[in-house]
Every structure is written in C-alpha cells, then in structure tokens.
Amino acid sequence: MPSPGPSPAQGEARDGATVPGGISVHPVTDLPEFSPGDDLAAAIAGAAPWLADGDVVVVTSKVVSKVEGRLVPVAPGEDREAARQRAIDAQTVRVVARRGPLKIVETPQGWVVAAAGIDASNVPGDALVLLPEDADASARALRDRLRELLGVEVAVIVSDTFGRTWRDGLTDVAVGSAGIPALIDHRGAVDAHGNRLETTQVALVDELAGAADLVKGKLAGIPVAVVRGLPFDPPKDDAGTRPLVRLGPGDLFPYGSRDLVATRVPGADLVPRPGELDAVAAAFRVATAALPEFPVVLRYGGEGDGVVDVHLPERATTTAALNLGALVGAVVIQLHAEGWTTRWEPVGTPGGSSLVGRLWLGSPAS
C-alpha cells in the first residue's frame, strides 16, 4: 500500500495559494478480526508498511484486549446483561454513582468510567471485553514491536470511548500511551497578552485519540489510525497515561450519587484530629441551606476528643426526627468530601433529653 498522500488541508490550493501545513489522520484498513494470541503489531505493520518516524499509532483498546485475552465468556443461554453486571462488579474498585443499572465506577487502572469500561459492542454475543489490564504496558510493547518489524520510531496510544461529566456525547480518550507525553504543561508560560498561565495542561494524548476516532468511527470496523505531522518530544521518563488520572486530593468530586457514597459506612476506630468542631459546624451550615428553619445546637465535649454532641432545642417529634435524619445525612457527606471519617451514634432513648446523637469524626485508625 503506498504512503498516504497529503490531506486536503495541505499542498497547493486551486487558486495557486499555498495552504499552511498541519497534521493529517489516516485510517489503517484491511485489518483482520482479532483473537487472543494474535500478533497485533505484525498485522498493523502488514497493513501500514508506510509508517514513518514520528507517526502516532492510535489503537482501539478493544483489539488490544482481544489479543491479550481480556474477554469474559457468556455461556449459551446465559443472560448477557446479568453477565455484564457481574463483570462490572468484578472490575470495580469504588462505586462513584449509580442510576438504575448504570454505574459510574473507579476501575483497578484508576479510570472513573461508566460500566468499568466493559464493552458489549462490536463483539460476538458470547463474550464481553474488559479494558486492558495495563494499557501503558500494552502501548510500550506495541511500540517496541513496530520498531522491530519496520525500523521506525513511532508513538502509540491505546484509546477507549468515554463519556464526559456534564456533557452529552462520547469521545475517545487515551487509556494507554508510549513514546509521547500525555500532558503538555503550559503552567508558568506567558500568553500574547502578558498573562501568566496558572493551570493550563493540555491532554495531548486524549486530543489525538479523539482525532483518530474521526477516521476509525464506531461502525466502520477500523480499529487503528495514524496521526502524522505532529511535532513532539518523546518523554525521557515515560509515565504513559498515569499523569492524566486525577484521584485523591486532586479530585474535587470524589463522591457521586448520595446513596452510594462508599465512605458512609461508619468508621469503627477513629483517631481524633484537630478541627472537628469547626468542621462539623461548617458542614451543618452547608446542610441547613435545605432546611434553614430547622434548629440544631452543637455542644462540644473535651477539646480534641473527636466527638460533637448534637441537640434539638425542641421536643424530638417524628417530624423533627425526619428533618434531623436528612440534615445529618447531608452533614456526613459534606464531612467525607472534606476528608473526615465519621460515625453517627444516636442516643438510646430519644426524647428523654435534648441530646439526639453524637457525631464522632477523625481519621481511620491504621
């Protein structure tokens, strides 16, 4: 197959004017249906002998998973959706949100994605496809093998289709990469107007994954594309796609649907830490936005003992109890979002005093 020609955005325009150069994206066609154990790199090299130094090879994660045997069989007569839900549970580290059968979860790879990235499309009905176990390692191996077969230095991106928070529609993003920086860091640079950039980091591999999907598509059966003409410097210490993962302290939205906040499980052994009264007071201020006229009194025990008493200034009626439950639930979520572990301890005989419960909080005992 000849080398791909220039894209319509390059070369000579009809009126003789020179069109500025840019990048081009090319599909790799005539690839087979892949099965476990197949040599993916050899198939790509055979279908795209025109690969050149500096090209970026973007491969759909599904074919990587297939050749690596990351398949879940569905037995004859077995309900495929039930098998899919079991597979999702098996690939879930943390449930972030759920609505009906849809689950947004954190996977063992660190991605927060719908259905743990498990795919049932473009695959026979007797199997489901998991994400690659380590797509960065898969990208490195594919890059090395293409160098061995064709003598070229290319970058490799393993892509998958993700939804995006607060936006409808899907796009391809990188779940694995090798030979190319995942992020281009512009922090500290100065723009044309003299403004210093404070937070700008460009997810380069995600942009390339999305661009490649324009020629791969979802229904055309083309799992590989090549991006040509993009200047980049291969990283000396290649961390793959790990720099893209935002979890832990950097995650401003660690909790999803309220009923699925995993850390609402009461903390058994808590180690007190400073600031519990201020934290509880701030959490109640946030929570009472929904019930501004519902009175609660906080009383503090010994300093640094990790417990805050919650009182009602009125008799504990059924209505008051329901309001308190809603309020405490919101408070607990707010505290967990701030990094506290909590345990709510209701009094044994509600109505006997103004005390309705104690909120213990601190850090988990190691």
Side-chain angles (χ1 to χ4, degrees), residues 173-300:
V173 301
V175 295
S177 67
I180 186 169
L183 290 173
I184 301 297
D185 193 347
H186 292 298
R187 291 174 298 180
V190 178
D191 68 15
H193 300 281
N195 302 304
R196 187 170 299 278
L197 304 182
E198 302 292 343
T199 61
T200 304
Q201 297 182 86
V202 177
L204 176 63
V205 290
D206 283 349
E207 292 186 327
L208 293 173
D213 194 53
L214 293 174
V215 300
K216 290 193 286 131
K218 302 302 181 193
L219 301 174
I222 300 174
V224 181
V226 175
V227 180
R228 174 166 289 181
L230 177 75
F232 63 90
D233 294 320
K236 295 180 180 179
D237 297 318
D238 197 345
T241 54
R242 291 300 89 195
L244 298 173
V245 179
R246 179 185 288 176
L247 294 174
D251 186 1
L252 297 180
F253 309 98
Y255 304 114
S257 298
R258 172 172 164 166
D259 60 326
L260 287 185
V261 177
T263 49
R264 288 191 70 182
V265 176
D269 298 315
L270 301 178
V271 177
R273 77 183 211 217
E276 66 263 42
L277 180 61
D278 290 340
V280 172
F284 268 99
R285 282 195 295 271
V286 172
T288 52
L291 291 167
E293 298 178 359
F294 183 67
V296 174
V297 177
L298 306 179
R299 293 184 182 169
Y300 195 42

Side-chain angles (χ1 to χ4, degrees), residues 89-117:
D89 291 341
Q91 291 294 307
T92 295
V93 171
R94 175 175 63 98
V95 177
V96 177
R98 180 173 62 191
R99 178 176 294 170
L102 172 64
K103 294 178 183 177
I104 309 296
V105 305
E106 180 186 339
T107 70
Q109 297 89 345
W111 306 114
V112 175
V113 61

Side-chain angles (χ1 to χ4, degrees), residues 14-192:
R14 288 177 181 169
D15 60 0
T18 300
V19 177
I23 68 171
S24 57
V25 187
H26 309 273
V28 177
T29 57
D30 300 321
L31 289 168
E33 183 69 28
F34 290 99
S35 300
D38 287 349
D39 191 336
L40 175 59
I44 294 173
W50 40 264
L51 282 176
D53 290 345
D55 284 348
V56 182
V57 180
V58 184
V59 185
T60 303
S61 66
K62 186 173 296 177
V63 298
V64 174
S65 294
K66 283 182 177 180
V67 301
E68 293 178 351
R70 294 279 290 168
L71 303 173
V72 175
V74 179
E78 183 179 8
D79 185 296
R80 197 177 190 216
E81 180 57 24
R84 179 172 168 270
Q85 291 298 328
R86 288 195 299 272
I88 292 170
D89 291 341
Q91 291 294 307
T92 295
V93 171
R94 175 175 63 98
V95 177
V96 177
R98 180 173 62 191
R99 178 176 294 170
L102 172 64
K103 294 178 183 177
I104 309 296
V105 305
E106 180 186 339
T107 70
Q109 297 89 345
W111 306 114
V112 175
V113 61
I118 294 174
D119 207 336
S121 63
N122 292 312
V123 66
D126 61 354
L128 301 166
V129 183
L130 308 178
L131 285 174
E133 185 172 6
D134 184 345
D136 288 329
S138 302
R140 289 193 296 271
L142 185 55
R143 181 174 184 250
D144 291 344
R145 181 84 170 118
L146 288 172
R147 182 192 302 115
E148 175 186 332
L149 293 170
L150 296 177
V152 293
E153 287 291 342
V154 298
V156 173
I157 294 172
V158 179
S159 67
D160 196 73
T161 304
F162 278 24
R164 298 153 306 150
T165 308
W166 300 304
R167 295 181 73 90
D168 282 330
L170 303 171
T171 187
D172 269 28
V173 301
V175 295
S177 67
I180 186 169
L183 290 173
I184 301 297
D185 193 347
H186 292 298
R187 291 174 298 180
V190 178
D191 68 15

